[in-house]
Amino acid sequence: MKLSVPGRTTAAAVIAVAGLLTTSAISSAAPSPTAAAPDISVANVQAHLSEFQSIAASNGGNRAHGSPGYKASVDYVKGKLDEAGFTTSVQEFTSNGKTGYNLIADWPGGDADQVVMAGSHLDSVDSGPGINDNGSGSAAILETALTVAREQYKPAKHLRFAWWGAEELGLVGSSHYVDELPADERSKIKDYLNFDMIGSPNPGYFVYDDDPTIEKTFKDFYGGLDLTTEPDEEGDGRSDHAPFKNAGIPVGGLFSGADYEKTAEQAQKWGGTAGEPFDKCYHSACDTESNVDGTALDNNSDAVAHAVWGLSA
Ligand code: TRP
Ligand code: CA
Ligand code: ZN
């Protein structure tokens, strides 16, 4: 059942009308398109990070492009998604003479002509297990996807999730995906959301400022947590949203900081340590499970869900 109020389409209007219905009418209704996003379990996100950590440990200490640790990461994420009812596909490409993989997962249903997409790079650098960079984004979108399935969310738009290969070699996987996508398929992607490093140990709250609607969606969420964000100016062109943006697709995303130092002003509003990097283990062997701030990971994972739900309703 779809509630429709001529001339009044705000969430408040829909809620006001829903309040007049009997309990049985509400319970038999399809989930409202304005339903709030569920809370994402940070414990579940952290369990995915533990899995990435063990995968690295049993594969020479990293999950880099062309390594067995990367392939094992793809297999882990794909297994969870297949079990949950996603339609998954693995796209192969070659970079540096080695086979790379993008994992794409579609949630069946929604308007196929309007796609909302969320992506994260799944590869690490050679020097470590890559838990904040970018186990964090990979785990958050995985748990968001699994929550979509658990809730049997029926968005108006079609949902697609992606885990990119070889980002660390220069956005190779995501560029390959966009290059290979036919023009009519590209034009169906209404939003691309990117999550690359969202659990930095000395965290900042940076929101990409590329598309105003997506940016507002995130900022509204943080406003509700009394968190002040900053636009992510340094991230421009530095992650997998760049090929989408270059193809004319609206992009947005989150970032909790890498090797730049937190200023005194930023420490005032976000806590943590001024004069130290947001992530002192950026691209290092110490980017392990202990290199993740649980509160930032929790807030940012919930923000992922807020945007995925809000933009696809
Ligand atoms: N893409 C970078 C990486 O994977 C991380 C990153 C995103 C970044 N935005 C940034 C690093 C801005 C420095 C500044 O390594
Ligand atoms: Ca949460
Ligand atoms: Zn990186």
Side-chain angles (χ1 to χ4, degrees):
M1 179 192 143
K2 199 164 181 190
L3 291 169
S4 117
V5 185
R8 299 176 66 204
T9 53
T10 63
V14 172
I15 290 162
V17 170
L20 299 173
L21 300 176
T22 66
T23 310
S24 65
I26 290 168
S27 60
S28 66
S32 161
T34 53
D39 176 67
I40 298 300
S41 157
V42 72
N44 289 0
V45 177
Q46 283 161 332
H48 303 314
L49 292 181
S50 295
E51 192 62 33
F52 293 143
Q53 175 94 49
S54 336
I55 286 170
S58 47
N59 289 282
N62 68 67
R63 303 181 301 104
H65 167 71
S67 76
Y70 182 71
K71 187 55 168 51
S73 301
V74 171
D75 292 345
Y76 170 71
V77 175
K78 184 176 185 296
K80 292 280 177 192
L81 295 163
D82 286 339
E83 191 180 39
F86 280 83
T87 305
T88 60
S89 65
V90 175
Q91 180 182 40
E92 292 193 13
F93 58 88
T94 304
S95 187
N96 268 2
K98 289 172 177 165
T99 302
Y101 309 91
N102 291 327
L103 172 64
I104 312 294
D106 285 89
W107 179 237
D111 180 355
D113 292 333
Q114 300 187 74
V115 178
V116 172
M117 198 169 173
S120 292
H121 78 83
L122 186 55
D123 63 313
S124 72
V125 290
D126 290 322
S127 48
I131 300 304
N132 184 37
D133 180 17
N134 184 32
S136 62
S138 294
I141 68 167
L142 172 58
E143 191 53 31
T144 300
L146 297 177
T147 305
V148 163
R150 233 176 264 127
E151 303 253 323
Q152 287 293 302
Y153 180 40
K154 307 254 186 301
K157 297 179 188 166
H158 180 78
L159 285 178
R160 182 176 300 153
F161 296 87
W163 287 263
W164 307 118
E167 186 270 354
E168 299 289 6
L169 281 69
L171 322 181
V172 177
S174 55
S175 300
H176 179 80
Y177 176 82
V178 173
D179 286 349
E180 291 291 301
L181 209 57
D184 62 318
E185 288 297 325
R186 276 188 203 181
S187 65
K188 291 175 187 171
I189 303 175
K190 301 306 173 195
D191 303 285
Y192 173 75
L193 309 176
N194 196 62
F195 304 100
D196 182 2
M197 304 183 71
I198 61 167
S200 303
N202 186 25
Y205 287 91
F206 299 99
V207 175
Y208 300 4
D209 60 357
D210 302 271
D211 178 80
T213 305
I214 301 174
E215 185 183 20
K216 184 181 185 310
T217 301
F218 284 121
K219 288 180 77 168
D220 286 350
F221 176 79
Y222 291 106
L225 298 180
D226 267 323
L227 271 167
T228 311
T229 62
E230 288 185 17
D232 174 31
E233 273 139 2
E234 278 119 10
D236 269 3
R238 291 198 56 169
S239 192
D240 298 298
H241 55 295
F244 288 85
K245 184 176 179 173
N246 293 339
I249 296 164
V251 304
L254 304 176
F255 178 53
S256 56
D259 47 355
Y260 296 98
E261 285 180 3
K262 185 179 274 190
T263 66
E265 220 180 27
Q266 289 171 329
Q268 275 288 324
K269 58 179 169 185
W270 295 327
T273 315
E276 278 188 18
F278 294 102
D279 181 354
K280 63 187 184 311
C281 291
Y282 178 60
H283 284 188
S284 306
C286 61
D287 185 9
T288 62
E289 278 181 279
S290 57
N291 191 46
V292 169
D293 181 84
T295 303
L297 186 70
D298 191 3
N299 289 338
N300 291 334
S301 299
D302 292 339
V304 172
H306 175 82
V308 164
W309 255 256
L311 294 167
S312 65

